[in-house]
Amino acid sequence: MTDFTWSVRVRAAGKQEATVHSRNHTFRVGPQLSFAQSDSNPTALEFFIGAFAADIVNGFQRAAAKRRIALDELEFSVTCRLNNPLVHVEVIGEEGHPGIEQIDGTLYVFADSEPNVIEELWNETLSMSPLVTTLKDSVTLMLRINMI
């Protein structure tokens, strides 16, 4: 099944807005990135980081379920830093690129399990993550786990 592909269809839906159709889901995406305090829709960058975080949270839940480990609380807090976001808005004289330079995140886990087992789940989660595996050679990933 190595030739399976996933696809989405995206249509322009107004100024700096797109509608994404994925299987039976539809969602709106705002501009590529924004410096505003609020927007009508999340930016493409926010969806990207959100998808990255969800990949890790859902992967950890999957790994825990395989071992029948109950998770009382699970949360991933993540930030990302671009190389130079001013390049994206075409500030004259700025150098670098608008790409992601670093993703920094902490998974907070509250579970009745030994720390070494939680650490094994964490390592399995990272090794089985499609997004971590894709990004690890091109972006600095600073990912930690914190057992509460």
Side-chain angles (χ1 to χ4, degrees), residues 46-62 74-78 103 107 122 125 129-132:
E46 290 163 328
F47 268 107
F48 182 86
I49 323 173
F52 179 84
D55 178 15
I56 290 175
V57 167
N58 292 336
F60 194 89
Q61 289 181 98
R62 179 178 170 256
L74 186 64
E75 179 177 318
F76 189 64
S77 177
V78 64
I103 297 175
L107 182 70
W122 176 240
T125 298
S129 162
L131 298 183
V132 169

Side-chain angles (χ1 to χ4, degrees), residues 75-137:
E75 179 177 318
F76 189 64
S77 177
V78 64
T79 61
C80 83
R81 185 172 48 81
L82 302 183
N83 177 275
N84 186 349
L86 297 179
V87 171
H88 172 74
V89 293
E90 301 179 280
V91 173
I92 295 171
E94 289 295 326
E95 296 183 1
H97 61 81
I100 295 173
E101 189 81 14
Q102 178 178 312
I103 297 175
D104 188 342
T106 303
L107 182 70
Y108 297 94
V109 180
F110 183 69
D112 187 20
S113 186
E114 295 296 318
N116 64 316
V117 173
I118 298 298
E119 190 70 35
E120 289 172 12
L121 295 176
W122 176 240
N123 291 332
E124 178 182 336
T125 298
L126 296 179
S127 69
M128 298 303 290
S129 162
L131 298 183
V132 169
T133 303
T134 299
L135 295 172
K136 70 180 180 173
D137 294 330

